[in-house]
């Protein structure tokens, strides 16, 4: 089960990085399509395991089920459900969930487009990533930092200050009493 989730994490990471130059322009569409197809198959195969993790309150389960809903991988595409699950994972310190929440606000997927909220979540992801495995924490911190810098280049100083204030004041939302205790 853990090996399968590691593969799912790799697929999700590669999905996050798809905007970065990883192959020549001619190779990129085939590579990205292949990675997405592999991710869809892997997620469908792992759905029961992911649902079990969700039942246990595991942040990886919340994140991966959220990603499935966000992308429509093996389940219906449902941004509202994806964001609810990302929030549950983020409340437990899951840096990838924070990055995807930032992306949702930056792109206006499932929520109104909001650069301040997007920056807030990228800022939180940068700080939360420090608590994970060394390799992954560096990857997530770097990814969140790049997204935050790119977004900040289009924001005013006041908007950035507001985003930083919101990040400092952020309290995880959406946890039930049972989920808070896990």
């Amino acid at each position: 089960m853990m090996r399968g989730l590691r593969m799912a994490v790799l697929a999700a990471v590669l999905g996050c990085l798809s905007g970065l130059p990883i192959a020549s322009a001619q190779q990129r569409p085939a590579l990205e399509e292949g990675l997405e197809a592999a991710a869809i198959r892997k997620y469908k195969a792992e759905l029961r395991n992911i649902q079990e993790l969700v039942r246990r309150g595991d942040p990886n389960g919340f994140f991966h089920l959220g990603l499935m809903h966000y992308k429509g991988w093996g389940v219906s595409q449902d941004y509202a459900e994806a964001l609810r699950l990302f929030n549950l994972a983020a409340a437990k310190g899951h840096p990838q969930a924070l990055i995807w929440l930032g992306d949702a606000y930056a792109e206006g997927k499932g929520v109104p487009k909001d650069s301040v909220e997007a920056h807030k979540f990228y800022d939180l992801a940068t700080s939360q990533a420090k608590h994970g495995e060394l390799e992954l924490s560096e990857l997530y911190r770097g990814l969140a930092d790049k997204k935050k810098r790119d977004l900040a280049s289009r924001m005013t100083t006041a908007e950035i200050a507001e985003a930083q204030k919101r990040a400092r004041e952020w309290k995880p939302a959406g946890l039930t009493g049972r989920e808070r205790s896990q």
Side-chain angles (χ1 to χ4, degrees):
M1 179 169 81
M2 289 310 295
R3 183 171 188 278
L5 282 177
R6 285 189 185 118
M7 292 301 293
V9 169
L10 178 59
V13 168
L14 291 173
C16 287
L17 298 176
S18 65
L20 301 175
I22 57 176
S24 72
Q26 292 175 336
Q27 293 173 324
R28 190 173 302 131
L31 178 60
E32 288 175 6
E33 289 168 7
L35 289 173
E36 181 138 344
I40 292 167
R41 283 192 304 275
K42 181 55 78 176
Y43 273 99
K44 283 182 180 179
E46 291 290 329
L47 181 57
R48 278 198 182 118
N49 294 332
I50 292 168
Q51 289 171 327
E52 177 56 32
L53 290 173
V54 167
R55 279 190 286 282
R56 290 188 299 191
D58 186 289
N60 287 313
F62 290 131
F63 170 72
H64 290 290
L65 189 56
L67 186 60
M68 290 177 75
H69 280 287
Y70 194 87
K71 293 287 202 172
W73 289 347
V75 296
S76 62
Q77 187 174 39
D78 182 345
Y79 290 129
E81 179 63 3
L83 297 175
R84 184 186 77 78
L85 291 161
F86 287 159
N87 270 299
L88 290 170
K92 294 180 175 224
H94 198 286
Q96 267 186 290
L98 290 161
I99 292 169
W100 281 86
L101 284 166
D103 289 349
Y105 279 98
E107 299 167 13
K109 289 190 174 178
V111 290
K113 193 171 185 176
D114 186 336
S115 296
V116 173
E117 279 297 293
H119 190 287
K120 172 187 89 175
F121 283 113
Y122 293 146
D123 198 18
L124 288 165
T126 302
S127 63
Q128 290 295 324
K130 294 175 186 172
H131 305 294
E133 293 178 33
L134 186 58
E135 270 182 55
L136 287 177
S137 65
E138 286 299 316
L139 176 71
Y140 297 142
R141 188 169 49 244
L143 179 62
D145 193 50
K146 180 190 180 316
K147 288 176 179 263
K148 183 173 70 171
R149 282 193 320 270
D150 289 348
L151 187 62
S153 71
R154 300 183 303 274
M155 295 172 67
T156 67
T157 304
E159 289 172 325
I160 294 169
E162 176 63 21
Q164 291 169 337
K165 176 181 176 245
R166 289 182 191 180
R168 283 190 304 273
E169 296 172 348
W170 182 70
K171 301 281 188 272
L175 292 180
T176 65
R178 178 176 165 257
E179 290 161 338
R180 277 193 188 100
S181 66
Q182 295 175 350

